[in-house]
Amino acid sequence: MEHKNTALGVVALALFVAAALWYSGRSAPSEDRVQRALFENSALYFTLNYRQEPNGYVIIPRPASGGAQYVLNMFLYADYQALQAKKYGQEGPPMIALGIYPNPKNQLPWDWVKTNSSSNYALSGDKKVIPESVSGKPAASYRWSGLYESQSVAVSHRGRIYLFSVSSPTSEDQIRKDFEDLLDRAKLE
């Protein structure tokens, strides 16, 4: 009987170890397994350092619109494939965006946000603007709601406003963590 209990204990321990190893392979990758890529635009003085693998992002520069001089969108690769296959309705997939706007009056980011309709600040329910820093420069962060819950961070640099935004169904989505990581690694030169 004692030998049987020992064998059951060994089997239970082996199953526990196997389950733990399986789960660790499915959780978020550790930083040493993440492959990063750079997106640089020297004419507009910025560099983005973003996750490329595993399950990384595709960057799509877009035609300038809405007063922006430059626009780019970032989608998770799987979401971009679904978008290309027209599997999203009008709302589109979650995304990170960067719009670069002229700022000839050199407004502070929190002033620009409140006076420029491109900021979507009018869609902010609480109207809170929180001071932040991006690439060592003062920034204004705020939340707003459209089709998705969104957060934008505006930075004034070299006569322009760099407006970083993320939109996703919930504030707990992985894209929100990736957005914070992108802001932490962004360089405005």
Side-chain angles (χ1 to χ4, degrees), residues 69-143:
Q69 293 175 317
Y70 185 83
V71 177
L72 66 80
N73 295 334
M74 295 178 66
F75 302 98
L76 284 168
Y77 185 71
D79 288 337
Y80 180 70
Q81 287 181 313
L83 180 66
Q84 294 297 97
K86 302 194 184 319
K87 292 183 180 178
Y88 280 96
Q90 273 188 317
E91 70 275 2
M95 74 172 176
I96 296 171
L98 170 60
I100 301 176
Y101 298 84
N103 185 16
K105 296 178 185 175
N106 285 317
Q107 288 181 289
L108 296 171
W110 34 89
D111 293 332
W112 184 90
V113 160
K114 292 176 181 177
T115 59
N116 192 302
S117 62
S118 297
S119 71
N120 284 330
Y121 178 74
L123 301 174
S124 173
D126 62 12
K127 303 292 188 218
K128 288 183 185 174
V129 177
I130 299 166
E132 270 195 36
S133 174
V134 173
S135 191
K137 296 166 184 19
S141 175
Y142 56 98
R143 296 188 184 280

Side-chain angles (χ1 to χ4, degrees), residues 3-15:
H3 181 63
K4 193 175 187 179
N5 285 341
T6 302
L8 284 174
V10 169
V11 168
L13 179 62
L15 286 173

